[in-house]
Amino acid sequence: MNTRKLTLTSILIAINIVLSSFIIIPLGPIKAAPIQHLINVLCAVLVGPWYGLAQAFISSVLRILFNTGSAFAFPGSMIGVFLASVFYLYRRHIFMAAVGEVIGTGIIGSLMCIPVAWIIGLGDFAVKPLMVAFILSSVIGAAISYVILMVLKKKGILDRFIK
């Protein structure tokens, strides 16, 4: 195991859990957290898809346990971080990681929440409000992470993380 990536992933999980308890976009049973999307893009660039998936899964479990998330966190965050990582690995550009997060969470993740809604008994669940909430949340988080990563890149700090 890569100790640096494991440590960084753990720190990002902790930041995600703490900040997601303060910043939530509630919409019925949905608790969209822009911080999750911010952390997803950071993971895509800094630690890659596998550690990113672990972060998304562990963060989703902990957010549910702390009542700051819902079952809808799993498909959105996990698909988002994976697609952000794939897009980043394909082009090696931070903007592509942000785009991957928005597409992965906002579009694909929200569509994957339909079966989750059926499983937990929300058969008449409205997809459009869910998609709007996920897209809004992922755009906010991805934009903030893009700015953070660009500042780190401009100052030369990002190069120390990506090897």
Side-chain angles (χ1 to χ4, degrees):
M1 280 201 152
N2 188 327
T3 306
R4 182 190 64 79
K5 286 184 177 184
L6 188 60
T7 304
L8 188 54
T9 302
S10 300
I11 291 168
L12 291 171
I13 290 169
I15 291 169
N16 186 4
I17 299 307
V18 171
L19 293 180
S20 289
S21 63
F22 297 111
I23 305 168
I24 297 173
I25 301 172
L27 180 65
I30 306 298
K31 295 178 181 177
I35 299 302
Q36 176 68 57
H37 313 297
L38 183 153
I39 297 297
N40 280 355
V41 176
L42 292 178
C43 279
V45 173
L46 300 175
V47 298
W50 307 120
Y51 287 93
L53 278 170
Q55 171 279 133
F57 180 78
I58 293 167
S59 293
S60 295
V61 168
L62 291 174
R63 286 182 54 223
I64 289 171
L65 290 174
F66 293 133
N67 200 27
T68 59
S70 68
F72 299 107
F74 288 103
S77 64
M78 294 180 75
I79 293 169
V81 74
F82 186 74
L83 206 58
S85 296
V86 169
F87 277 33
Y88 179 73
L89 290 173
Y90 175 67
R91 295 299 244 167
R92 290 285 182 196
H93 196 280
I94 296 166
F95 181 74
M96 291 306 293
V99 168
E101 171 63 23
V102 173
I103 292 171
T105 299
I107 298 170
I108 299 170
S110 61
L111 291 174
M112 293 304 294
C113 284
I114 296 169
V116 174
W118 290 334
I119 291 169
I120 63 174
L122 298 172
D124 59 345
F125 190 68
V127 177
K128 288 182 184 176
L130 171 74
M131 195 175 269
V132 170
F134 273 31
I135 289 173
L136 176 66
S137 181
S138 60
V139 165
I140 292 168
I144 294 169
S145 64
Y146 177 77
V147 170
I148 290 169
L149 288 167
M150 290 307 289
V151 168
L152 291 175
K153 184 177 181 178
K154 186 175 181 180
K155 295 193 179 274
I157 298 170
L158 188 60
D159 294 335
R160 287 187 249 161
F161 284 98
I162 302 173
K163 292 183 181 181

